[in-house]
Amino acid sequence: MKVPLLDLKAQYATIENEVRAAVDKVILSQYFILGPEVEALEAEIAAYTGARYGIGVASGSDAILLAMMHKGLGIGDAVVTTPYSFFATAGSITRTGASVVFVDIDPVTFNMDPGRFEELMEGLVKNSASPVTAGGATVRGVMPVHLFGQAADMASIVATTSRFGLFVVEDAAQAIGSCSPAGSAGAIGDMGCFSFFPSKNLGGFGDGGMITTSSEQTAEGLKILRNHGSKPKYYHKLVGVNSRLDALQAAVLRVKLKYLDSWSEKRKANAAHYRELFTAQGLASPAGPVVLPAVAEGYRHIYNQFVIMVDRRDELRDHLLKADIGTEIYYPVPLHLQECYRYLGYREGDFPHAEAAAKKSLALPIYPELTADMQQYIVDKIAAFYGGKK
């Protein structure tokens, strides 16, 4: 049996006619950059997340970069985030000239540990005058990441940012539709940033992204920034970038958005079935070798990824590859240990939970079209590797 990590062809087969009709409509209109389709998607994503405005941009990476640019970051500023995420999280901060300050993750959720974030800020206050500084840079904001489809503990994080006067930009690239007791991902902070990369729960036919906000002033500023800082055309108040969502992507995403909740529920059902199978095989911790993803009470996990923690991770991945089972490692090197961030002075051991996740995490197939037989096959192969029942 062959089980890919993700099967987008299976998804497309269920919506092909709708997508083709939507794309043909755009082609006939010859309106490819921004325009009515993008405006409609922006309104629909805003309504879906609970924000007032949506601003379509060229990618998820551009979404967080533009959010940082809108905050006016530059040399002498700093933003706090976690070292266990895709590179764009920290890279968007660095591209503005600002400094990155890392804080460790919660080992259960993989998201920012709100207690450690609070401790970090309190420690910085003790060692600096107002405003709060880190390494000589003024700490201006925080970027929590809603990793793998589960929202961070935003209630606790926002409580700390309120104490210290920090802005909050949510990296929700993997988390559209996820919720915490504080609200929906992307609608809690100053801005929420989403990715429509094809592998996401809501994925386009190429790159695409969206920024959500409930501030009219912020929305207007972002629209100017994404279009070379121009308003009106050819008159530039700001130095912006070219980061506009195209109409073809918007048309595809509008079709897919109608099915997003049902697809996320299927992922949730697959996650529940995995739990049953791992438990039946005696593989689930604490007795077994597999630590399954946890979901906190009051949270909605959309399972952009289903990530387990295991010892001998690389050997297990090779074993599954030989059985034609697709997996992925998110992420093998935490950001504070990346070569380009050596200048920050962080060392191995500084963020033990992020480092442990980088060494032990493995993503298994979780896409909606995954069958029960496929899941059984995956778990049986994992059991065989660890000397379990099969």
Side-chain angles (χ1 to χ4, degrees), residues 102-158:
F102 291 119
V103 65
D104 210 356
I105 60 170
D106 180 304
V108 176
T109 67
F110 304 112
N111 290 323
M112 180 179 288
D113 185 325
R116 291 179 185 273
F117 171 50
E118 184 178 29
E119 290 174 5
L120 169 69
M121 294 306 301
E122 289 176 345
L124 292 175
V125 167
K126 290 179 181 178
N127 295 308
S128 66
S130 182
V132 181
T133 61
T138 301
V139 180
R140 292 191 49 206
V142 61
M143 190 189 302
V145 184
H146 306 307
L147 203 64
F148 302 146
Q150 179 164 214
D153 181 356
M154 293 301 294
S156 299
I157 291 171
V158 170

Side-chain angles (χ1 to χ4, degrees), residues 52-84:
R52 290 181 62 195
Y53 306 98
I55 301 91
V57 296
S59 70
S61 296
D62 275 4
I64 49 179
L65 174 60
L66 283 162
M68 296 296 99
M69 291 173 65
H70 178 71
K71 286 298 183 180
L73 294 179
I75 296 172
D77 296 323
V79 177
V80 180
T81 192
T82 69
Y84 187 59

